[in-house]
Amino acid sequence: MAYKTLTTIVTSAEEAATTVGAAAQLALALDAHLDILCLGIDRTQIGYSYVGTGGGVLLQIAMDRAEADARSAETAARAAATLQPVNLRWSVETVVAQTGGLGDLVALRARFADLVVLPKPYGKGRGSEAEAALEAALFEGQAPVLVLPDSPASVELPRRIVIGWNQSREAMVAVRRALPLLKRAQMVNITVIDPPQHGPERSDPGGALCQMLVRHGVKAEVSVLARTMPRIADVLTRHLRDMNADLLVMGAYGHSRFREAILGGATRNMLEQAELPVLMAH
């Protein structure tokens, strides 16, 4: 497998330069085509309105604002793409969507992408549409998603990759989807945190995965870490710094999405504090 179609989504002119620039760097390094989807979000959720209440006027105002946002995002995205080397292959599509229809739209585009590149969904200035786009690409689109940190220094081919390995189906899917990058990396560290004493890999945590990757030509090694802090995400973040990693590969949402949203979890925690790109799959 190779990444030949990258898709990125722009919902505001302010984020266009960073998101498109990072996705373009990766597309150039992979010799892939970059599809840019510019969205204007109509946030009205009016199911009905009474005669004389002006509901139709409000709907039209919201639609006009969404169209203006979409055009502004498109202008900024085209400007960012034009700044890239001339050998970048790219295209832009501009759409207005209501919040309720955002998931289906993103899922359809993600389904035909080898990799979706998105900004971090949590943080200052991030609306609910950012999280909705991420989940739609992961779940309905069944695409691997590369989540960018707030200020990515460079998103070229990663040299040092850490895999967050917990023996789950989601983690295995993420590893398989990340193989094109893993095979190019100078070092891949399979990180196992506090492995279960009675699990299927109790005698050799991460060993079977390491063997599989080595047979693919991946320069892999295993690190088994103790859970020295309350949150797995904190242990993993410290390890990423120690390894001077360029990329984290991990499964997404091992628990139910509802539990993750209400209580938090490794997925949400990692995305909230991500200092480097995170490649996820479900």
Side-chain angles (χ1 to χ4, degrees):
M1 173 188 171
Y3 301 131
K4 288 304 176 185
T5 300
L6 271 59
T7 295
T8 192
I9 299 171
V10 178
T11 56
S12 71
E14 292 74 23
E15 71 183 30
T18 300
T19 303
V20 173
Q25 285 183 45
L26 191 57
L28 285 166
L30 294 167
D31 189 28
H33 186 281
L34 176 61
D35 290 330
I36 305 169
L37 177 62
C38 297
L39 290 179
I41 309 299
D42 176 4
R43 294 177 173 81
T44 57
Q45 297 293 329
I46 299 176
Y48 61 88
S49 61
Y50 293 103
V51 174
T53 60
V57 175
L58 293 176
L59 288 172
Q60 187 59 51
I61 291 173
M63 179 60 72
D64 292 343
R65 183 181 298 119
E67 290 180 353
D69 290 343
R71 287 193 296 269
S72 177
E74 178 187 0
T75 299
R78 287 186 180 277
T82 304
L83 290 175
Q84 303 304 317
V86 294
N87 58 327
L88 174 68
R89 303 189 303 276
W90 59 280
S91 59
V92 174
E93 180 182 12
T94 305
V95 181
V96 171
Q98 280 196 318
T99 303
L102 177 62
D104 291 340
L105 175 65
V106 171
L108 180 61
R109 301 305 187 277
R111 198 169 298 148
F112 299 100
D114 296 315
L115 181 66
V116 178
V117 181
L118 296 176
K120 191 165 71 172
Y122 308 113
K124 185 178 180 180
R126 299 285 192 269
S128 60
E129 65 272 7
E131 185 176 18
L134 171 64
E135 292 198 349
L138 281 171
F139 290 92
E140 285 74 35
Q142 290 292 297
V145 177
L146 182 68
V147 181
L148 303 172
D150 286 330
S151 300
S154 177
V155 189
E156 298 177 352
L157 293 179
R159 296 167 299 159
R160 302 175 64 81
I161 300 176
V162 168
I163 298 172
W165 180 245
N166 61 0
Q167 307 171 34
S168 68
R169 182 187 69 85
E170 292 82 9
M172 190 72 247
V173 172
V175 169
R176 293 187 186 278
R177 297 296 185 88
L179 263 177
L181 297 177
L182 298 177
K183 292 167 71 172
R184 293 170 178 249
Q186 296 176 3
M187 183 281 298
V188 173
N189 181 262
I190 302 165
T191 303
V192 186
I193 300 174
D194 195 19
Q197 296 181 356
H198 305 289
E201 296 186 355
R202 60 187 179 277
S203 61
D204 187 17
L209 175 62
C210 186
Q211 181 184 69
M212 185 196 88
L213 292 177
V214 168
R215 288 173 178 171
H216 277 280
V218 177
K219 302 175 182 66
E221 60 184 35
V222 179
S223 294
V224 180
L225 308 179
R227 186 169 178 173
T228 55
M229 290 182 278
R231 299 197 313 175
I232 292 289
D234 294 331
V235 179
L236 195 52
T237 297
R238 183 175 63 185
H239 183 63
L240 290 167
R241 293 172 184 155
D242 292 342
M243 298 299 298
N244 193 27
D246 303 311
L247 174 71
L248 170 66
V249 174
M250 64 180 290
Y253 299 97
H255 299 295
S256 72
R257 294 159 70 186
F258 177 77
R259 180 180 174 185
E260 290 271 353
I262 301 301
L263 302 179
T267 304
R268 186 183 181 101
N269 293 338
M270 281 307 307
L271 292 182
E272 286 178 336
Q273 63 193 50
E275 300 172 350
L276 68 155
V278 180
L279 192 150
M280 301 191 306
H282 180 81

